[in-house]
Amino acid sequence: MESSSNHVRKLAIKEFTLDGFHVYGTFANLINPNTPRLGAEPVEFFRDMAVLTLAQNCAPSFSVCRVLKRPLVIGTVEYHTHTGEGILPLDGDVLIHVGMATPNGEVPLDKLEVFRVPQGTVVMLRPGVWHEAPFAHGCGSVNVLIVLPERIYANDCTVHQIPDDQKIQII
């Protein structure tokens, strides 16, 4: 991460590869699968492409987060202690910012990373990984499917607002 003269830190977008992302979770491209399949054209079944560990004895909830084009500035981060989170951009690419889980809610601002997630690629974040709503990339808005246990946003979501002098610009 680099600092500029006006104290706004800048963070470059990284390519989305399994090697580069594995410490935060995993992902699968659901639109262009490259995995074992059952059957052949005209009907192919690509099985078990993405497995998301949710909290024990929970009902998965499927929500949509509509993200409109906005300044590429990271001002908020959050994490879930007891569950992972699934993120699937449905109709456009997004940028996600992530940071490793930390003790005592310490935000690893100097270690955040930003990845471009192609449309149709499902991301499975590990419990404790710092993140927040994605940014639309290359378009005006993107609908993003979010998979979490029901009501987790109300009972297992720690949110941290980044002070103005520590916000991070995505470049």
Side-chain angles (χ1 to χ4, degrees), residues 14-87:
K14 296 183 119 182
E15 284 304 311
F16 201 48
T17 65
L18 286 173
D19 280 347
F21 190 76
H22 78 279
V23 297
Y24 306 110
T26 187
F27 63 88
N29 187 326
L30 301 178
I31 293 177
N32 299 302
N34 185 18
T35 63
R37 70 186 116 220
L38 299 175
E41 291 182 358
V43 177
E44 300 171 300
F45 178 63
F46 297 89
R47 66 195 192 290
D48 303 328
M49 291 180 60
V51 177
L52 176 63
T53 302
L54 295 176
Q56 285 185 324
N57 303 319
C58 74
S61 175
F62 299 86
S63 304
V64 169
C65 179
R66 180 171 296 128
V67 292
L68 303 177
K69 187 174 183 176
R70 65 188 197 272
L72 297 178
V73 176
I74 301 170
T76 306
V77 289
E78 68 177 36
Y79 70 91
H80 311 288
T81 299
H82 303 289
T83 187
E85 178 171 337
I87 301 169

Side-chain angles (χ1 to χ4, degrees), residues 99-113:
M100 293 293 295
T102 55
N104 305 321
E106 297 171 16
V107 182
L109 291 177
D110 59 338
K111 294 183 178 162
L112 292 180
E113 296 188 271

Side-chain angles (χ1 to χ4, degrees), residues 130-152:
W130 289 96
H131 65 285
E132 218 265 324
F135 293 85
H137 183 65
C139 58
S141 68
V142 179
N143 291 293
V144 182
L145 178 67
I146 304 293
V147 181
L148 286 166
E150 184 179 24
R151 293 190 40 74
I152 206 71

